Amino acid sequence: GLTERAATARVAADSGASLSTGDAIILGAVEGITEYLPVSSTGHLLITERLLDIGTGADKDATDTYTVVIQVGAIAAVALLYGSQLLGMLRGLLGQNAAGVRLLRNILLAFSPVAVAGLLLNAWIDAHLFSIGAVIAALVSGAVLMLAAERWRQQPGKTSSRKEPSDLSAKEAFGIGVMQCLALWPGTSRSMVTMVGGYFCGLSPARAAEFSFLVGLPTLAGAAVYKGAKAGPAMIAVFGWPHVLVGTLVAAVSAALAVRFLVHYLTRHGLGVFAVYRLLLAGLLAWVFLR
């Protein structure tokens, strides 16, 4: 309850837990850059927190909440970059854009499985999957899936540069949503599984990334609201509003740059290099935490 969270916050504050402006900027940049790249924001944040020497003591809950809440910046970046698609969905609700209605339907269908699974499994995931070993296993498994998907995509006729996210059938959109449930396993990468799902539904790399970004809006917003409501007061008591705002702003700017880079890169090269990067990250995590 609130009393318990307030007590946790007091313990953290009394223990000297703090977040410098530099720490806030670094965490915001790491969150923004890795949230939409298929490389696992969780794995990068674990390393960053270890290097900054935060999130390992009484401030762990506050740090975990902080890294989720500043996702609001990443959400804002995509909302601005893909404003025309959001406007199209709004016009669709007014009966003025058929493609916008289909896109909204597909986003909701892709969001619904992970929303239900997240609520049902949240406590179990926190208890069993938030470990270094689990994150490393997810990074490696994800890399293997990406390499297999990239090989599959390169076969003639498997994906189309002309197929849009609004062209997905209801079944295909829901299937991508089911795949997104895999991202509840920390280290998997939500953007990775939704992009791979887009591949299997015939979307080109750039269009799969676009759909991943849009599906991420309700997914990340839901996580931020849930975590903020649950532990936000304790986080503010420990770190203060200024650092939350700094982290959110930096996350917004860095996410915008990362999204622009990713779409440009995927159009030419696909996901393969990110799979190799994930294997290197898994090795780095093992070296830092398990030796």
Side-chain angles (χ1 to χ4, degrees):
L2 285 173
T3 303
E4 182 179 336
R5 292 198 295 272
T8 301
R10 283 196 300 273
V11 170
D14 292 342
S15 70
S18 64
L19 193 72
S20 70
T21 302
D23 293 342
I25 291 172
I26 292 170
L27 287 172
V30 172
E31 162 57 32
I33 292 170
T34 61
E35 187 58 60
Y36 294 115
L37 297 182
V39 294
S40 171
S41 58
T42 302
H44 286 82
L45 288 167
L46 282 171
I47 290 177
T48 304
E49 289 168 13
R50 170 61 69 91
L51 292 175
L52 297 177
D53 195 26
I54 58 175
T56 56
D59 64 337
K60 185 180 188 311
D61 287 342
T63 304
D64 290 345
T65 304
Y66 181 86
T67 56
V68 173
V69 169
I70 62 174
Q71 289 176 169
V72 170
I75 296 167
V78 166
L80 289 173
L81 290 174
Y82 289 90
S84 60
Q85 286 84 342
L86 298 180
L87 181 59
M89 287 186 277
L90 178 60
R91 291 181 60 223
L93 290 175
L94 300 175
Q96 299 172 353
N97 189 321
V101 170
R102 295 196 304 272
L103 179 58
L104 178 60
R105 176 203 68 186
N106 290 343
I107 289 173
L108 293 176
L109 284 171
F111 166 67
S112 56
V114 75
V116 174
L119 289 173
L120 293 177
L121 299 174
N122 182 67
W124 186 89
I125 290 168
D126 283 348
H128 296 91
L129 292 183
F130 267 97
S131 68
I132 299 300
V135 171
I136 291 171
L139 283 166
V140 174
S141 301
V144 172
L145 176 61
M146 290 167 73
L147 291 171
E150 196 61 44
R151 185 173 181 179
W152 179 90
R153 178 186 71 86
Q154 292 173 5
Q155 298 175 30
K158 291 300 184 181
T159 61
S160 169
S161 60
R162 294 184 296 275
K163 187 171 184 178
E164 299 284 340
S166 59
D167 296 328
L168 293 169
S169 69
K171 182 178 179 180
E172 288 172 333
F174 187 77
I176 292 174
V178 172
M179 282 198 67
Q180 189 177 199
C181 292
L182 294 173
L184 294 172
W185 178 4
T188 300
S189 174
R190 187 204 59 80
S191 59
M192 183 276 288
V193 291
T194 48
M195 286 183 208
V196 168
Y199 273 19
F200 292 150
C201 293
L203 295 177
S204 68
R207 291 291 177 258
E210 177 183 322
F211 189 60
S212 172
F213 302 150
L214 293 172
V215 173
L217 293 178
T219 304
L220 299 177
V225 169
Y226 176 81
K227 196 78 170 180
K230 184 179 179 183
M235 174 192 67
I236 297 300
V238 175
F239 294 150
W241 273 111
H243 289 146
V244 176
L245 295 176
V246 167
T248 302
L249 177 61
V250 173
V253 174
S254 55
L257 295 173
V259 166
R260 284 286 179 86
F261 158 77
L262 183 61
V263 172
H264 180 79
Y265 183 88
L266 289 177
T267 301
R268 292 159 178 77
H269 306 291
L271 287 170
V273 69
F274 296 105
V276 174
Y277 179 85
R278 288 172 66 97
L279 294 174
L280 294 174
L281 179 63
L284 179 59
L285 277 169
W287 182 77
V288 171
F289 289 98
L290 300 183
R291 62 195 174 107

